[in-house]
Amino acid sequence: MVAKISIGSSLYGALCYNGEKVNKENGRILGSNKIIIPVDGKADIGQMAENFRMFMPKMGKTKKPVLHISLNPHPDDRLSDQDFEILAREYLDKLGFGEQPYVIYKHEDIDRHHIHIVTVNVNEEGKRLNQDFLYRRSKKITTELEEKYNLHKAQREKISPDTPITKVDSNGDIKRQVANTVKMVGMRYKFQSMGEYNAILGLYNVRCDTADGRVNGREYHGLVYFATDDNGNKIATPLKASRLGKFASRTAIDGRFERAKEKIDLAPTKRKVADALSQSSDKDDFVAKLKERNIDVVFRYTDEGRIYGVTFVDHDTMKALNGSRLGKDFSANALNARFSQQSQPTEQAPTATVVPIPTPTNTTSESQSTSSAGTAQTQAAASTQNQTSQSDSGDYDFTLPGLDLFQPGQSFNPDEEEFRRRMQRKKKRGHRPKF
């Protein structure tokens, strides 16, 4: 049996978290001490908070008086509600909290049923209870209970360098899955911005948002994590970084940003992306060719469907890189221009209609005049065709990888013309991408 202990300052928050499980029929209240439980089994969060405050001093020095404990038996242990309640009360007695006000909840939202206990670590006089070696004592107690009741020995899940990262399963323990994903991503990958961080997390149905604000005149800067579905939609209650662990905090992630700057080598990823781009025929083909090179690409779109962000996640070198870090040719603007032009249908050249000109018979001068005019038109058309041919062979003779796909159709496109001029200016300045 694994016991997890959280020490905090928000009694209402702990009661609300468990009370919502009960009121949504994802849990039930098994028992309590000194706290009144409604007869209908529902959780009256406000009334329960008032009951707790009756046994707590209004003024005290303890800044974090709340203990939120979860007891997690091995999945192979089949325990009844009564068994759970007995374990919880005996655990609290051995820990020294048996006379404190507390509430025992059973969570049933996942297959592995477990219990939560909310209590306080100060007595009615405001004196803090003994918390010395709290976690060590807790471990000893759970071992004793396993032996006494013949339970399976359950250990905390250990994360090794070989542990695979999997997508969050909405039917599983959301908090545990999100915490494991965040921890393993932080251990293995290098990233330098929130966008790059989210590009990796998003592959496993997790998202992170910054939470900045002011409380009681003091600024705070934190992070909030979400579990999502494959389309990026939230599927569970947001999780503050503090609930996952220090590894998920704003301080820890900002530190990873800074350390990554000194360790990231762009060259290997840039070579693979350039190679895939030069061989791809369209965006889908580009994504597929990157997959073959063990790279995931994450595009971000505006409401109009324009690409405004792109991040490459290289699983071989374990790093995430925004396209602009690799060079302008791999930026969101460049890729949007390329793929949007490729997706446009090629316009057919208008078919020329030949209108026969009747030959006048009454005057020779008119015939000569008409003949001269026809010859002039033929020469002008030939000159125009020659100029167009020269323009096609000169202006679009790009040497950058894959830019041969930008061949213009026979109709004029202002977006293509602007892109062509921009590339010409780069050529005149001697711009070449470095691979």
Side-chain angles (χ1 to χ4, degrees):
M1 181 169 59
V2 174
K4 300 179 181 179
I5 304 175
S6 299
I7 303 175
S9 58
S10 177
L11 174 63
Y12 188 85
L15 293 174
C16 187
Y17 171 75
N18 291 280
E20 286 183 352
K21 299 270 189 182
V22 173
N23 294 337
K24 291 180 179 179
E25 299 183 352
N26 289 324
R28 66 183 72 178
I29 300 175
L30 300 183
S32 66
N33 187 53
K34 298 181 181 179
I35 303 298
I36 300 173
I37 303 301
V39 179
D40 61 3
K42 296 293 183 180
D44 188 338
I45 300 170
Q47 184 60 48
M48 294 170 72
E50 287 298 322
N51 289 166
F52 268 101
R53 292 190 180 97
M54 290 174 59
F55 296 95
M56 296 174 63
K58 295 183 179 180
M59 299 295 292
K61 296 181 180 180
T62 304
K63 294 182 179 180
K64 295 184 177 181
V66 181
L67 260 68
H68 189 177
I69 306 168
S70 69
L71 297 179
N72 305 268
H74 192 280
D76 293 338
D77 291 325
R78 301 301 177 184
L79 304 175
S80 66
D81 289 355
Q82 184 178 9
D83 294 334
F84 272 119
E85 185 177 357
I86 291 172
L87 284 173
R89 292 185 185 276
E90 191 166 342
Y91 172 86
L92 288 171
D93 286 340
K94 291 178 177 293
L95 196 63
F97 288 77
E99 298 302 319
Q100 291 294 98
Y102 60 78
V103 182
I104 305 169
Y105 303 86
K106 179 184 178 183
H107 287 193
E108 301 174 332
D109 53 337
I110 59 175
D111 293 336
R112 182 181 54 78
H113 292 182
H114 57 285
I115 56 177
H116 282 240
I117 305 168
V118 176
T119 186
V120 290
N121 61 5
V122 292
N123 60 21
E124 297 179 16
E125 289 76 32
K127 185 177 179 180
R128 184 171 68 85
L129 275 64
N130 179 25
Q131 291 185 189
D132 295 342
F133 309 106
L134 184 65
Y135 299 97
R136 187 182 303 177
R137 288 191 286 126
S138 173
K139 176 59 180 174
K140 181 180 179 181
I141 294 168
T142 56
T143 301
E144 292 174 355
L145 292 176
E146 287 171 348
E147 294 175 353
K148 180 178 179 179
Y149 294 102
N150 196 28
L151 302 176
H152 291 81
K153 294 185 180 296
Q155 301 293 332
R156 284 181 179 268
E157 183 179 1
K158 294 183 179 180
I159 297 175
S160 69
D162 299 327
T163 303
I165 309 177
T166 58
K167 287 187 176 182
V168 171
D169 180 3
S170 59
N171 296 319
D173 186 338
I174 298 293
K175 177 184 173 184
R176 180 181 61 83
Q177 293 179 83
V178 171
N180 287 346
T181 298
V182 171
K183 177 178 286 188
M184 288 189 284
V185 166
M187 288 170 55
R188 300 175 186 178
Y189 287 87
K190 298 179 180 65
F191 40 85
Q192 302 177 68
S193 69
M194 191 58 67
E196 293 174 348
Y197 184 38
N198 268 319
I200 307 171
L201 292 177
L203 299 177
Y204 308 105
N205 289 357
V206 177
R207 196 181 87 213
C208 176
D209 287 346
T210 56
D212 299 326
R214 184 181 293 272
V215 175
N216 298 328
R218 297 180 61 183
E219 289 187 2
Y220 69 88
H221 304 280
L223 296 177
V224 179
Y225 291 85
F226 302 89
T228 69
D229 58 19
D230 290 337
N231 296 320
N233 302 313
K234 303 173 187 176
I235 60 172
T237 305
L239 297 165
K240 293 197 299 184
S242 57
R243 292 191 56 202
L244 303 182
K246 291 183 179 180
F247 57 85
S249 68
R250 183 75 168 265
T251 301
I253 301 305
D254 285 347
R256 295 189 184 281
F257 292 164
E258 291 300 320
R259 291 192 294 274
K261 293 178 181 179
E262 303 173 357
K263 299 179 180 179
I264 287 184
D265 180 11
L266 304 178
T269 303
K270 187 172 183 179
R271 281 194 296 268
K272 290 192 287 185
V273 173
D275 185 47
L277 187 60
S278 66
Q279 299 179 27
S280 61
S281 57
D282 54 30
K283 185 173 67 175
D284 292 339
D285 190 31
F286 180 48
V287 173
K289 283 183 167 52
L290 286 174
K291 275 281 189 184
E292 295 172 359
R293 293 159 174 79
N294 206 20
I295 295 177
D296 279 304
V297 58
V298 179
F299 292 106
R300 293 178 289 281
Y301 299 89
T302 64
D303 293 338
E304 293 76 23
R306 184 185 185 281
I307 299 174
Y308 75 89
V310 58
T311 303
F312 301 95
V313 182
D314 190 338
H315 300 290
D316 289 335
T317 58
M318 308 299 283
K319 56 178 173 281
L321 295 164
N322 284 337
S324 57
R325 294 192 195 279
L326 298 181
K328 292 183 178 180
D329 297 313
F330 310 102
S331 66
N333 287 337
L335 294 178
N336 179 74
R338 173 168 185 158
F339 295 135
S340 62
Q341 290 180 23
Q342 289 174 358
S343 64
Q344 292 176 358
T346 303
E347 298 182 15
Q348 297 294 328
T351 303
T353 303
V354 179
V355 180
I357 301 176
T359 303
T361 57
N362 53 349
T363 57
T364 305
S365 60
E366 283 184 45
S367 176
Q368 292 176 346
S369 174
T370 302
S371 176
S372 300
T375 302
Q377 290 177 354
T378 302
Q379 291 176 348
S383 175
T384 301
Q385 183 178 4
N386 185 46
Q387 291 174 1
T388 303
S389 176
Q390 291 176 355
S391 177
D392 286 351
S393 62
D395 293 344
Y396 288 86
D397 185 20
F398 297 121
T399 58
L400 293 175
L403 290 183
D404 55 304
L405 298 175
F406 286 98
Q407 299 301 326
Q410 295 180 0
S411 61
F412 177 81
N413 187 312
D415 293 333
E416 289 182 331
E417 183 66 16
E418 173 58 25
F419 182 78
R420 182 184 65 79
R421 290 172 180 169
R422 190 164 65 250
M423 295 306 300
Q424 278 188 310
R425 289 195 295 269
K426 288 183 179 181
K427 287 181 64 178
K428 290 179 180 179
R429 292 197 301 268
H431 179 80
R432 290 290 187 276
K434 298 180 181 178
F435 298 112

